[in-house]
Amino acid sequence: MSTAHQLRITHIGGPTTLIEIGGWRLLTDPTFDPPGRRYTFGWGTSSRKVTGPAIPAADLGPIHAVLLSHDHHGDNLDDTGRALLSLAGTVLTTVPAARRLGPETRGLRAGQSTRLTHPGRPTIEVTATPCRHGPPLSGPIVGAVIGFALRWAGQQHGALWILGDTVLTRRVRQVATRIRVGTVLLHLGGVRFPITGPLRYSMTARRAAQLCAALRPHTAIPVHYEGWQHFQEPREVIERAFTAAPSPARDSIRWLPPGEPTTIDA
């Protein structure tokens, strides 16, 4: 018989969350720099950080693994977050990021899986999921990005899916047909930059509602929609999109108070 393990998620800010499962403490996309600095993202794009983390890096406690969707944008891995990587037992990320970050990092391509194991803790299967961090054919410019689907014994509703920075594509939609998802962390914000006009570099609220209508998760948690100047869709836009969505999506949305550990029905 499977043993249930409590899932607890703390939204620290931007894409950064602390995920606690049966003794595991996992950190997503570490961003802990103070606000005020402008970061360049390449090809003439940049943004200023306007909100600091809800929990300072020094107060985190032990981190057993980092799930890093990509390493080359400061709103997903900043200087303080980068310093934390050496303190984590494991770092899972893209193959190009693993080459840049060193031999202690595991690189995954979309569809590949690995396991987090430790005596006295549940084994967590981590599967990399596809992302496209921009419009069609933008991959060579925006670089490799992945999401993560986490599965462990005792899940009642399905996997925990960390979407990663992506627009809605056919491959992202297909995840809903391949993995039963109970909880999804939605990287939103509908990012645009003046230099590239209407092109989007992360998922809009409307597209996220469409995805959740197909996915039918028990819980959908918005992250990575605030704290930086380049985000175009704040909370009220996300709320309107989900209010207008069919009931499976509309009823799934849940907002996490920054810095407060929240128990999720997994």
Side-chain angles (χ1 to χ4, degrees):
M1 180 178 295
S2 296
T3 301
H5 296 281
Q6 185 182 71
L7 169 63
R8 191 165 70 165
I9 302 177
T10 306
H11 187 199
I12 295 171
T16 310
T17 64
L18 175 64
I19 298 170
E20 298 174 88
I21 307 160
W24 286 102
R25 305 183 84 248
L26 315 177
L27 191 67
T28 67
D29 286 356
T31 54
F32 290 91
D33 285 356
R37 176 177 162 187
R38 178 169 290 278
Y39 297 73
T40 59
F41 299 141
W43 293 84
T45 62
S46 68
S47 181
R48 186 178 302 279
K49 187 174 185 179
V50 297
T51 304
I55 300 174
D59 295 345
L60 272 182
I63 298 298
H64 302 125
V66 171
L67 306 176
L68 178 61
S69 65
H70 57 302
D71 70 321
H72 51 281
H73 292 155
D75 62 332
N76 293 86
L77 181 68
D78 58 21
D79 291 345
T80 307
R82 192 175 294 270
L84 286 175
L85 298 183
S86 62
L87 304 178
T90 301
V91 179
L92 304 181
T93 188
T94 67
V95 171
R99 294 193 192 105
R100 290 187 288 262
L101 294 172
E104 301 303 317
T105 305
R106 297 188 214 173
L108 298 173
R109 292 182 175 86
Q112 288 187 314
S113 297
T114 188
R115 290 186 172 188
L116 300 175
T117 62
H118 190 277
R121 300 179 199 152
T123 295
I124 300 177
E125 181 184 59
V126 182
T127 301
T129 59
C131 292
R132 195 184 75 207
H133 199 0
L137 305 179
S138 65
I141 297 174
V142 299
V145 183
I146 55 173
F148 302 93
L150 278 58
R151 289 176 278 199
W152 60 90
Q155 287 175 320
Q156 301 300 307
H157 300 292
L160 166 61
W161 185 18
I162 302 150
L163 188 66
D165 284 11
T166 186
V167 296
L168 186 56
T169 68
R170 177 181 56 83
R171 294 184 69 206
V172 173
R173 288 180 187 272
Q174 286 176 345
V175 173
T177 68
R178 296 173 179 173
I179 300 175
R180 186 170 69 96
V181 174
T183 301
V184 57
L185 298 185
L186 298 167
H187 289 217
L188 301 179
V191 168
R192 289 185 302 186
F193 296 100
I195 196 170
T196 53
L199 298 179
R200 298 281 186 175
Y201 295 88
S202 68
M203 196 170 293
T204 64
R206 185 170 65 88
R207 293 295 192 188
Q210 292 174 2
L211 175 63
C212 287
L215 199 63
R216 303 177 70 90
H218 182 268
T219 307
I221 300 170
V223 298
H224 211 24
Y225 61 90
E226 41 67 46
W228 292 77
Q229 288 181 330
H230 61 298
F231 290 123
Q232 304 296 314
E233 296 188 345
R235 175 169 173 164
E236 53 267 29
V237 174
I238 301 168
E239 289 177 333
R240 285 200 300 270
F242 274 80
T243 297
S247 60
R250 182 174 65 244
D251 300 338
S252 67
I253 196 80
R254 183 166 181 182
W255 300 92
L256 300 190
E260 295 185 18
T262 302
T263 299
I264 304 297
D265 186 3

